[in-house]
Amino acid sequence: MERVAALGLDIGKKRVGVAGCDGTGLIATGLTTIIRSSFVADIAQFKAIVKERNIKILVAGLPYTMAGELGFQAQQVQKYAQKLGIALDLPLEYIDERCTSLEAEEFLKAKKQFSSWDKGAIDREAAAIILQQWLDRRRRVNTVVLGETR
């Protein structure tokens, strides 16, 4: 089985939540939150993560509007994600991230780990949800391609 080395990203104006997955591609976990400053500083932090985890692909959440359209925020995310992919020389895929921050907040509240002061925890958890959705979709597609529909 091929090792899965993906990085999930919840890209915001101030922070980027970052998630990784186990090598089997089954479980996504929040890793860190990068506080955006300059693009050069951001890239330095991402390069360290990419090298340490031997990352092969970036998966960015794309914040479609509730009507399913690409609004201003989604366009800003695309610009940043594309620059990031180019700078890191990695392929980039997008996943619909509508409501992931709300879902992340609810998850942290349920685990009694929610703090309105720790926005980074929400960003990390949202990145994990984004990456988990991508992993699940990838697994379903591979299952159908291999003729093992369940």
Side-chain angles (χ1 to χ4, degrees):
M1 180 189 272
E2 181 184 339
R3 184 180 176 283
V4 180
L7 209 58
L9 307 173
D10 179 41
I11 300 169
K13 291 177 193 169
K14 297 178 182 178
R15 295 173 305 277
V16 180
V18 181
C21 61
D22 64 330
T24 64
L26 292 175
I27 301 168
T29 308
L31 298 175
T32 190
T33 303
I34 292 177
I35 307 299
R36 289 179 62 178
S37 55
S38 71
F39 190 71
V40 171
D42 296 356
I43 288 299
Q45 292 181 72
F46 279 110
K47 280 185 177 179
I49 296 167
V50 166
K51 182 178 180 183
E52 176 187 328
R53 298 184 65 89
N54 197 23
I55 297 299
K56 302 294 182 210
I57 188 167
L58 302 175
V59 179
L62 200 53
Y64 287 92
T65 66
M66 292 314 266
E69 299 167 347
L70 288 176
F72 178 76
Q73 183 60 27
Q75 292 169 0
Q76 296 306 305
V77 166
Q78 282 181 316
K79 274 193 226 177
Y80 185 86
Q82 288 169 354
K83 282 176 55 177
L84 193 59
I86 291 167
L88 298 172
D89 193 27
L90 289 171
L92 169 68
E93 288 189 26
Y94 294 102
I95 199 97
D96 184 349
E97 73 149 33
R98 280 180 279 191
C99 302
T100 55
S101 291
L102 183 61
E103 188 179 336
E105 199 173 304
E106 292 303 316
F107 178 77
L108 291 171
K109 284 179 183 176
K111 286 177 53 177
K112 308 245 187 287
Q113 294 178 352
F114 176 77
S115 166
S116 60
W117 296 101
D118 190 0
K119 302 288 188 196
I122 296 169
D123 296 332
R124 284 188 300 279
E125 189 60 40
I129 292 168
I130 289 163
L131 184 55
Q132 190 66 57
Q133 289 175 351
W134 181 83
L135 292 168
D136 293 347
R137 184 181 72 190
R138 179 180 178 276
R139 202 167 36 258
R140 279 191 306 274
V141 168
N142 287 344
T143 301
V144 170
V145 168
L146 295 174
E148 299 174 14
T149 55
R150 294 182 180 135

